[in-house]
Amino acid sequence: MDNENLFDSVNAVEYYVGSARQWAYYHQQALGFDLVAYSGPETGIRDRVSYLLRQGDVKLIFTSFLNYNSPIADHVRLHGDGVRDVSLSVENLGDTVEFIRKRGIARVGNTVRIKGRDGVMNTAVVSSFGDTLHTLEETADYGSDIPPNFVEVGSRAKPVGLKKIDHIVGNVEDRMMNSWVDYYVKGMGFDQLISFDDKDISTEYSALRSKVVHYGNRKIIFPINEPAIGLKKSQIQEYLDYYNSPGVQHIAIETGNIVKTVEEMKKRGVEFLPTPSVYYDTLLERVGKIDEKLEDLRRLNILVDRDDDGYLLQIFTKPVGDRPTFFYEVIQRKGATSFGKGNFRELFKSIEAEQARRGNL
Ligand code: FE2
């Protein structure tokens, strides 16, 4: 069997958090997600509550525990609020599980049939870095967007224009990046995209190495970072110290109009990393002609980078929870297929300023 048509796309991202209700509220109010469905004691689930939110094609689930001895509580105590499961839609679960088992590299559990009101869903769980999972979901015989044990809520928010997940980045320990690249490439049939080395992505202090794996001509994109030695503590190491293991560092979500999206998010109180004003003094010399007004980008701190295929605009939020771990990126692609390598330097200076304020540099 070849490695084609094993995975469709990222289905949903589930977070384990201290208060699912508050995470859901923040994502509704500040990030413009609709509340779609709820699961908890009222729907027959005794030990947890989950909220399913949606904007464009982006589906997020926030789950919290109701009992002190819950494995969700253990996860939150160890990692803080963070991503537990990046679920992947699959065409044929049997074929996909067989492919992964034959390779003998990635760990995949048994196939489980979940019966719901709307049909049967076949799932199997792949373990990835740290406590992160990929639940594989085959939904051909499942006739609904609402997962089993959830009830539809249907509470509409005012969207900010977020459309789809562009990429999801993992941070792993020093010298572990290559084995996790192998895990996805040799173990799960992904391809490797491009690589940076630590000379590319470093400032005076924070250094990292990064490789990108993807599946199905970029339908699923997972960059993987590891810390590299700099003069002071790498921002990846700071993440690992607070998350207490490898985990998901950021999710980049695509918008069709980053100026409008970021303007609206800022109005609603979302905090982004600042960009030094000097960045914009020489921006057009670096990236050439762009459609957006330089003044809008400067005012909103939006970054721009160009590659052989075009350019991209991007901006990063401050950490979403209490620990300096998980954050979002908002990205608009105008042809560019890369990830903003030219901005890493600028971005890191900004991240390091924040890191220094926390006493972790
Ligand atoms: Fe990114």
Side-chain angles (χ1 to χ4, degrees), residues 221-241:
I221 306 177
F222 295 152
I224 300 169
N225 298 330
E226 67 178 8
I229 302 299
L231 282 183
K232 293 208 176 166
K233 185 190 273 190
S234 164
Q235 53 153 308
I236 308 305
Q237 192 56 49
E238 190 197 31
Y239 174 100
L240 296 169
D241 290 347

PDB file of all heavy atoms in Angstrom, residues 221-241:
ATOM      1  N   ILE A 221      -0.200  20.249   7.756  1.00  0.00           N
ATOM      2  CA  ILE A 221       1.175  20.737   7.896  1.00  0.00           C
ATOM      3  C   ILE A 221       1.544  20.813   9.373  1.00  0.00           C
ATOM      4  O   ILE A 221       0.900  21.517  10.143  1.00  0.00           O
ATOM      5  CB  ILE A 221       1.352  22.136   7.251  1.00  0.00           C
ATOM      6  CG1 ILE A 221       0.883  22.133   5.795  1.00  0.00           C
ATOM      7  CG2 ILE A 221       2.817  22.572   7.338  1.00  0.00           C
ATOM      8  CD1 ILE A 221       0.958  23.507   5.126  1.00  0.00           C
ATOM      9  N   PHE A 222       2.607  20.069   9.753  1.00  0.00           N
ATOM     10  CA  PHE A 222       3.089  20.081  11.131  1.00  0.00           C
ATOM     11  C   PHE A 222       4.573  20.466  11.172  1.00  0.00           C
ATOM     12  O   PHE A 222       5.439  19.595  11.031  1.00  0.00           O
ATOM     13  CB  PHE A 222       2.952  18.687  11.769  1.00  0.00           C
ATOM     14  CG  PHE A 222       1.546  18.190  11.939  1.00  0.00           C
ATOM     15  CD1 PHE A 222       1.291  16.818  11.938  1.00  0.00           C
ATOM     16  CD2 PHE A 222       0.473  19.054  12.133  1.00  0.00           C
ATOM     17  CE1 PHE A 222       0.007  16.333  12.124  1.00  0.00           C
ATOM     18  CE2 PHE A 222      -0.826  18.577  12.309  1.00  0.00           C
ATOM     19  CZ  PHE A 222      -1.055  17.207  12.309  1.00  0.00           C
ATOM     20  N   PRO A 223       4.919  21.720  11.393  1.00  0.00           N
ATOM     21  CA  PRO A 223       6.316  22.051  11.682  1.00  0.00           C
ATOM     22  C   PRO A 223       6.700  21.533  13.067  1.00  0.00           C
ATOM     23  O   PRO A 223       5.865  21.472  13.970  1.00  0.00           O
ATOM     24  CB  PRO A 223       6.338  23.589  11.661  1.00  0.00           C
ATOM     25  CG  PRO A 223       5.103  23.978  10.891  1.00  0.00           C
ATOM     26  CD  PRO A 223       4.095  22.923  11.238  1.00  0.00           C
ATOM     27  N   ILE A 224       7.945  21.101  13.215  1.00  0.00           N
ATOM     28  CA  ILE A 224       8.430  20.584  14.504  1.00  0.00           C
ATOM     29  C   ILE A 224       9.702  21.342  14.886  1.00  0.00           C
ATOM     30  O   ILE A 224      10.656  21.386  14.110  1.00  0.00           O
ATOM     31  CB  ILE A 224       8.722  19.068  14.417  1.00  0.00           C
ATOM     32  CG1 ILE A 224       7.435  18.317  14.047  1.00  0.00           C
ATOM     33  CG2 ILE A 224       9.288  18.545  15.737  1.00  0.00           C
ATOM     34  CD1 ILE A 224       7.665  16.860  13.678  1.00  0.00           C
ATOM     35  N   ASN A 225       9.699  21.937  16.085  1.00  0.00           N
ATOM     36  CA  ASN A 225      10.842  22.717  16.579  1.00  0.00           C
ATOM     37  C   ASN A 225      11.572  21.968  17.677  1.00  0.00           C
ATOM     38  O   ASN A 225      10.957  21.269  18.470  1.00  0.00           O
ATOM     39  CB  ASN A 225      10.380  24.032  17.235  1.00  0.00           C
ATOM     40  CG  ASN A 225       9.654  24.962  16.285  1.00  0.00           C
ATOM     41  OD1 ASN A 225       9.910  24.979  15.084  1.00  0.00           O
ATOM     42  ND2 ASN A 225       8.743  25.746  16.846  1.00  0.00           N
ATOM     43  N   GLU A 226      12.894  22.200  17.771  1.00  0.00           N
ATOM     44  CA  GLU A 226      13.627  21.800  18.974  1.00  0.00           C
ATOM     45  C   GLU A 226      14.520  22.967  19.369  1.00  0.00           C
ATOM     46  O   GLU A 226      14.893  23.784  18.526  1.00  0.00           O
ATOM     47  CB  GLU A 226      14.468  20.528  18.728  1.00  0.00           C
ATOM     48  CG  GLU A 226      15.616  20.727  17.756  1.00  0.00           C
ATOM     49  CD  GLU A 226      16.464  19.468  17.570  1.00  0.00           C
ATOM     50  OE1 GLU A 226      16.084  18.398  18.073  1.00  0.00           O
ATOM     51  OE2 GLU A 226      17.517  19.572  16.917  1.00  0.00           O
ATOM     52  N   PRO A 227      14.864  23.072  20.667  1.00  0.00           N
ATOM     53  CA  PRO A 227      15.720  24.182  21.091  1.00  0.00           C
ATOM     54  C   PRO A 227      17.137  23.978  20.587  1.00  0.00           C
ATOM     55  O   PRO A 227      17.599  22.849  20.427  1.00  0.00           O
ATOM     56  CB  PRO A 227      15.675  24.106  22.620  1.00  0.00           C
ATOM     57  CG  PRO A 227      15.298  22.696  22.929  1.00  0.00           C
ATOM     58  CD  PRO A 227      14.459  22.208  21.790  1.00  0.00           C
ATOM     59  N   ALA A 228      17.831  25.064  20.313  1.00  0.00           N
ATOM     60  CA  ALA A 228      19.262  25.003  19.991  1.00  0.00           C
ATOM     61  C   ALA A 228      19.969  25.888  21.009  1.00  0.00           C
ATOM     62  O   ALA A 228      19.351  26.686  21.700  1.00  0.00           O
ATOM     63  CB  ALA A 228      19.514  25.483  18.578  1.00  0.00           C
ATOM     64  N   ILE A 229      21.272  25.688  21.099  1.00  0.00           N
ATOM     65  CA  ILE A 229      22.030  26.442  22.095  1.00  0.00           C
ATOM     66  C   ILE A 229      22.212  27.879  21.625  1.00  0.00           C
ATOM     67  O   ILE A 229      22.692  28.146  20.533  1.00  0.00           O
ATOM     68  CB  ILE A 229      23.424  25.808  22.311  1.00  0.00           C
ATOM     69  CG1 ILE A 229      23.270  24.354  22.757  1.00  0.00           C
ATOM     70  CG2 ILE A 229      24.228  26.608  23.329  1.00  0.00           C
ATOM     71  CD1 ILE A 229      22.534  24.168  24.062  1.00  0.00           C
ATOM     72  N   GLY A 230      21.777  28.823  22.450  1.00  0.00           N
ATOM     73  CA  GLY A 230      22.043  30.240  22.206  1.00  0.00           C
ATOM     74  C   GLY A 230      22.795  30.781  23.397  1.00  0.00           C
ATOM     75  O   GLY A 230      23.261  30.017  24.251  1.00  0.00           O
ATOM     76  N   LEU A 231      22.932  32.086  23.469  1.00  0.00           N
ATOM     77  CA  LEU A 231      23.619  32.668  24.624  1.00  0.00           C
ATOM     78  C   LEU A 231      22.809  32.480  25.889  1.00  0.00           C
ATOM     79  O   LEU A 231      23.331  32.271  26.969  1.00  0.00           O
ATOM     80  CB  LEU A 231      23.851  34.166  24.396  1.00  0.00           C
ATOM     81  CG  LEU A 231      25.000  34.520  23.468  1.00  0.00           C
ATOM     82  CD1 LEU A 231      25.157  36.019  23.386  1.00  0.00           C
ATOM     83  CD2 LEU A 231      26.300  33.876  23.944  1.00  0.00           C
ATOM     84  N   LYS A 232      21.484  32.561  25.731  1.00  0.00           N
ATOM     85  CA  LYS A 232      20.609  32.353  26.884  1.00  0.00           C
ATOM     86  C   LYS A 232      19.546  31.335  26.516  1.00  0.00           C
ATOM     87  O   LYS A 232      19.597  30.719  25.467  1.00  0.00           O
ATOM     88  CB  LYS A 232      20.012  33.693  27.311  1.00  0.00           C
ATOM     89  CG  LYS A 232      21.100  34.612  27.860  1.00  0.00           C
ATOM     90  CD  LYS A 232      20.548  35.584  28.855  1.00  0.00           C
ATOM     91  CE  LYS A 232      21.687  36.417  29.436  1.00  0.00           C
ATOM     92  NZ  LYS A 232      21.188  37.589  30.145  1.00  0.00           N
ATOM     93  N   LYS A 233      18.540  31.185  27.395  1.00  0.00           N
ATOM     94  CA  LYS A 233      17.579  30.105  27.224  1.00  0.00           C
ATOM     95  C   LYS A 233      16.719  30.262  25.963  1.00  0.00           C
ATOM     96  O   LYS A 233      16.120  31.299  25.734  1.00  0.00           O
ATOM     97  CB  LYS A 233      16.677  30.037  28.452  1.00  0.00           C
ATOM     98  CG  LYS A 233      15.728  28.861  28.414  1.00  0.00           C
ATOM     99  CD  LYS A 233      14.696  28.945  29.510  1.00  0.00           C
ATOM    100  CE  LYS A 233      15.230  28.318  30.797  1.00  0.00           C
ATOM    101  NZ  LYS A 233      14.141  28.194  31.790  1.00  0.00           N
ATOM    102  N   SER A 234      16.670  29.204  25.173  1.00  0.00           N
ATOM    103  CA  SER A 234      15.838  29.186  23.975  1.00  0.00           C
ATOM    104  C   SER A 234      14.366  29.318  24.363  1.00  0.00           C
ATOM    105  O   SER A 234      13.921  28.777  25.372  1.00  0.00           O
ATOM    106  CB  SER A 234      16.056  27.874  23.230  1.00  0.00           C
ATOM    107  OG  SER A 234      15.024  27.656  22.290  1.00  0.00           O
ATOM    108  N   GLN A 235      13.588  30.017  23.508  1.00  0.00           N
ATOM    109  CA  GLN A 235      12.147  30.120  23.780  1.00  0.00           C
ATOM    110  C   GLN A 235      11.487  28.744  23.727  1.00  0.00           C
ATOM    111  O   GLN A 235      10.474  28.516  24.380  1.00  0.00           O
ATOM    112  CB  GLN A 235      11.474  31.052  22.786  1.00  0.00           C
ATOM    113  CG  GLN A 235      11.753  30.684  21.352  1.00  0.00           C
ATOM    114  CD  GLN A 235      10.645  31.122  20.412  1.00  0.00           C
ATOM    115  OE1 GLN A 235       9.484  30.836  20.617  1.00  0.00           O
ATOM    116  NE2 GLN A 235      11.036  31.838  19.381  1.00  0.00           N
ATOM    117  N   ILE A 236      12.070  27.809  22.953  1.00  0.00           N
ATOM    118  CA  ILE A 236      11.511  26.455  22.911  1.00  0.00           C
ATOM    119  C   ILE A 236      11.739  25.768  24.256  1.00  0.00           C
ATOM    120  O   ILE A 236      10.892  25.041  24.756  1.00  0.00           O
ATOM    121  CB  ILE A 236      12.162  25.618  21.774  1.00  0.00           C
ATOM    122  CG1 ILE A 236      12.100  26.371  20.440  1.00  0.00           C
ATOM    123  CG2 ILE A 236      11.497  24.241  21.662  1.00  0.00           C
ATOM    124  CD1 ILE A 236      10.722  26.812  20.020  1.00  0.00           C
ATOM    125  N   GLN A 237      12.929  26.021  24.851  1.00  0.00           N
ATOM    126  CA  GLN A 237      13.210  25.442  26.164  1.00  0.00           C
ATOM    127  C   GLN A 237      12.279  26.017  27.223  1.00  0.00           C
ATOM    128  O   GLN A 237      11.808  25.296  28.114  1.00  0.00           O
ATOM    129  CB  GLN A 237      14.682  25.679  26.554  1.00  0.00           C
ATOM    130  CG  GLN A 237      15.124  24.858  27.755  1.00  0.00           C
ATOM    131  CD  GLN A 237      14.903  23.365  27.532  1.00  0.00           C
ATOM    132  OE1 GLN A 237      15.281  22.818  26.503  1.00  0.00           O
ATOM    133  NE2 GLN A 237      14.250  22.691  28.489  1.00  0.00           N
ATOM    134  N   GLU A 238      11.975  27.305  27.121  1.00  0.00           N
ATOM    135  CA  GLU A 238      11.032  27.905  28.079  1.00  0.00           C
ATOM    136  C   GLU A 238       9.680  27.196  27.982  1.00  0.00           C
ATOM    137  O   GLU A 238       9.054  26.851  28.985  1.00  0.00           O
ATOM    138  CB  GLU A 238      10.863  29.411  27.833  1.00  0.00           C
ATOM    139  CG  GLU A 238      10.075  30.105  28.957  1.00  0.00           C
ATOM    140  CD  GLU A 238       9.526  31.477  28.603  1.00  0.00           C
ATOM    141  OE1 GLU A 238       9.200  31.713  27.428  1.00  0.00           O
ATOM    142  OE2 GLU A 238       9.389  32.314  29.523  1.00  0.00           O
ATOM    143  N   TYR A 239       9.243  26.965  26.746  1.00  0.00           N
ATOM    144  CA  TYR A 239       7.989  26.217  26.548  1.00  0.00           C
ATOM    145  C   TYR A 239       8.075  24.846  27.226  1.00  0.00           C
ATOM    146  O   TYR A 239       7.192  24.450  27.983  1.00  0.00           O
ATOM    147  CB  TYR A 239       7.710  26.038  25.044  1.00  0.00           C
ATOM    148  CG  TYR A 239       6.514  25.144  24.764  1.00  0.00           C
ATOM    149  CD1 TYR A 239       5.281  25.691  24.446  1.00  0.00           C
ATOM    150  CD2 TYR A 239       6.613  23.752  24.844  1.00  0.00           C
ATOM    151  CE1 TYR A 239       4.176  24.878  24.215  1.00  0.00           C
ATOM    152  CE2 TYR A 239       5.520  22.927  24.621  1.00  0.00           C
ATOM    153  CZ  TYR A 239       4.308  23.497  24.293  1.00  0.00           C
ATOM    154  OH  TYR A 239       3.218  22.685  24.075  1.00  0.00           O
ATOM    155  N   LEU A 240       9.153  24.102  26.949  1.00  0.00           N
ATOM    156  CA  LEU A 240       9.289  22.737  27.480  1.00  0.00           C
ATOM    157  C   LEU A 240       9.306  22.744  29.013  1.00  0.00           C
ATOM    158  O   LEU A 240       8.736  21.863  29.654  1.00  0.00           O
ATOM    159  CB  LEU A 240      10.558  22.080  26.937  1.00  0.00           C
ATOM    160  CG  LEU A 240      10.599  21.854  25.417  1.00  0.00           C
ATOM    161  CD1 LEU A 240      11.999  21.447  24.966  1.00  0.00           C
ATOM    162  CD2 LEU A 240       9.583  20.798  24.996  1.00  0.00           C
ATOM    163  N   ASP A 241       9.946  23.761  29.593  1.00  0.00           N
ATOM    164  CA  ASP A 241      10.023  23.855  31.054  1.00  0.00           C
ATOM    165  C   ASP A 241       8.642  24.078  31.677  1.00  0.00           C
ATOM    166  O   ASP A 241       8.349  23.578  32.762  1.00  0.00           O
ATOM    167  CB  ASP A 241      10.950  24.999  31.472  1.00  0.00           C
ATOM    168  CG  ASP A 241      12.407  24.703  31.158  1.00  0.00           C
ATOM    169  OD1 ASP A 241      12.720  23.535  30.844  1.00  0.00           O
ATOM    170  OD2 ASP A 241      13.229  25.646  31.218  1.00  0.00           O
TER     171      ASP A 241
END
